[in-house]
Amino acid sequence: MTPALGIASLSLGSFEHHSLPSKLLAAAQAGFSNIELFDLDWWSFRDSYAKDHNLPPSTRDGDSTSLFAAAALGALVQSFGLSISCWQPLRNFEGFISDEDTKESRAFAKGILDIMPALGTELLLCCTTSTPAPRTSGSLDRCVRDLQWLADEAATYDPPIRIMYEGLSFGAHRQTWQSAYEVVEKANRPNLGLCLDSFNTLALEWADPYSPTGTLSPDVDDKLNQNMAELVARVPGDKIYFFQVADGRRMDPPMQLPADPTIPRIRPWSRSHRLFPLEKELGAYLPVDKFADAVVQTGYSGPWSLEVFNDSLADPSIETPKNHAQRGIKGLRAAVEQAYARYSHDECLSS
């Protein structure tokens, strides 16, 4: 099997230095079939489009200017032979205590939903909130209520929009795929599923960039095997809407913990030192293969997409999108090929 291969627009260069059209070109020339549309890339394109076409500045997504820009971007993406796999991320959406905060978060989400048909995408990534208490609560019932509202609202569009929920490794209340899937299960909506991200799981439960060993403990492999066995047993492949793939650099010497105690310990590493799969020559060392094997075993048949944050993306060179696209497609193709080869081999042994 050869799944669709994609890459997040953020993983081709920073929006400050690299236009979205230049990144689309790089992705298409490298051989990707789709891109995840990152919020900062979208807003940069939207505002530039308004300025170039003498439109009034957009004051919120869903207004006329944003809809014109979304239609133009959708057409541009298609002209490169690409599609938009999803819009991402809807941040800090759920769990608010105050009615006013809830109202504002839902209005923002509604604006994103409004532009998605014009963009030509039917999938929205919502990550677990990083807004801490006391503004938010980790209450399961409150979170379920908010995700039910979002899924029900998304279902009213033509075609219906699907929502995928992702456990953010430095989320305020939910960090794991299990805690995200608990919400998906209880919300019980046909258009609500899970987004799995290899880095978010492995960075939280296996790796430690602050340790000389690079890992959390001597038994991390056993724990990871148990975690992946649970994933295969618990989550059907059709409830996984998306698979994001990223590796991470082993830090030698180890990183220093953030001086600011409010900064989650994983975030500096996550934002600066992710790598494309299998880039061992650059220090990649996460067991992405174990994670990928479990995803394949669930029966998941959707896209594999790269989501890599790294300081190298801020390089203003005109070659940055091209270089990252070429690195990314090489690693992703190898990861897919190896995962399905292992799966086929195991199937033959068990038959």
Side-chain angles (χ1 to χ4, degrees), residues 103-169:
K103 181 180 178 181
E104 288 183 9
S105 70
R106 291 184 177 186
F108 178 83
K110 178 68 165 60
I112 300 304
L113 293 172
D114 285 345
I115 63 171
M116 290 179 64
L119 288 168
T121 185
E122 303 164 17
L123 188 59
L124 173 62
L125 168 58
C126 176
C127 58
T128 55
T129 187
S130 57
T131 301
R135 282 189 69 196
T136 64
S137 165
S139 161
L140 176 61
D141 288 341
R142 185 182 295 272
C143 187
V144 165
R145 176 201 67 190
D146 290 336
L147 268 293
Q148 285 176 330
W149 178 90
L150 183 61
D152 290 345
E153 190 69 27
T156 66
Y157 289 77
D158 183 19
I161 293 171
R162 296 184 301 155
I163 306 298
M164 54 180 174
Y165 194 44
E166 177 188 3
L168 187 64
S169 58

Side-chain angles (χ1 to χ4, degrees), residues 79-347:
S79 75
F80 283 108
L82 299 168
S83 63
I84 298 175
S85 57
C86 68
W87 192 98
Q88 69 110 328
L90 180 60
R91 312 169 192 263
N92 300 314
F93 167 75
E94 81 283 19
F96 284 108
I97 299 296
S98 79
D99 291 342
E100 185 61 29
D101 280 341
T102 298
K103 181 180 178 181
E104 288 183 9
S105 70
R106 291 184 177 186
F108 178 83
K110 178 68 165 60
I112 300 304
L113 293 172
D114 285 345
I115 63 171
M116 290 179 64
L119 288 168
T121 185
E122 303 164 17
L123 188 59
L124 173 62
L125 168 58
C126 176
C127 58
T128 55
T129 187
S130 57
T131 301
R135 282 189 69 196
T136 64
S137 165
S139 161
L140 176 61
D141 288 341
R142 185 182 295 272
C143 187
V144 165
R145 176 201 67 190
D146 290 336
L147 268 293
Q148 285 176 330
W149 178 90
L150 183 61
D152 290 345
E153 190 69 27
T156 66
Y157 289 77
D158 183 19
I161 293 171
R162 296 184 301 155
I163 306 298
M164 54 180 174
Y165 194 44
E166 177 188 3
L168 187 64
S169 58
F170 47 87
H173 308 290
R174 290 179 171 80
Q175 300 89 30
T176 65
W177 70 259
Q178 290 95 332
S179 61
Y181 192 60
E182 181 182 31
V183 175
V184 171
E185 286 184 304
K186 189 167 184 180
N188 192 28
R189 293 295 191 268
N191 63 328
L192 178 63
L194 195 63
C195 175
L196 292 176
D197 181 321
S198 63
F199 185 90
N200 272 331
T201 293
L202 298 174
L204 180 69
E205 303 187 37
W206 189 90
D208 185 357
Y210 303 101
S211 167
T213 67
T215 59
L216 288 168
S217 63
D219 61 348
V220 287
D221 290 327
D222 290 339
K223 290 180 177 178
L224 179 62
N225 289 337
Q226 294 171 11
N227 190 327
M228 295 298 94
E230 181 186 359
L231 176 66
V232 175
R234 183 175 173 186
V235 183
D238 61 4
K239 268 299 182 182
I240 302 171
Y241 286 177
F242 210 67
F243 178 31
Q244 293 177 321
V245 190
D247 213 314
R249 175 180 289 118
R250 179 167 180 176
M251 305 308 295
D252 185 15
M255 295 176 65
Q256 297 296 310
L257 286 166
D260 183 349
T262 66
I263 297 176
R265 69 190 306 273
I266 293 176
R267 193 168 69 189
W269 186 49
S270 172
R271 287 291 177 259
S272 297
H273 298 287
R274 296 194 195 194
L275 293 170
F276 295 114
L278 306 174
E279 291 191 307
K280 297 187 184 302
E281 70 280 5
L282 298 179
Y285 79 114
L286 299 182
V288 177
D289 57 337
K290 299 287 187 182
F291 198 96
D293 288 351
V295 172
V296 171
Q297 289 168 33
T298 67
Y300 173 73
S301 58
W304 290 43
S305 189
L306 299 165
E307 189 194 43
V308 168
F309 297 85
N310 193 289
D311 290 344
S312 63
L313 296 167
D315 185 343
S317 168
I318 195 173
E319 297 296 316
T320 295
K322 177 182 176 181
N323 292 340
H324 285 79
Q326 291 177 342
R327 284 173 49 198
I329 198 71
K330 177 184 176 182
L332 187 57
R333 281 174 173 161
V336 169
E337 180 181 344
Q338 292 175 19
Y340 280 99
R342 289 190 297 269
Y343 180 70
S344 296
H345 180 261
D346 292 344
E347 286 287 288

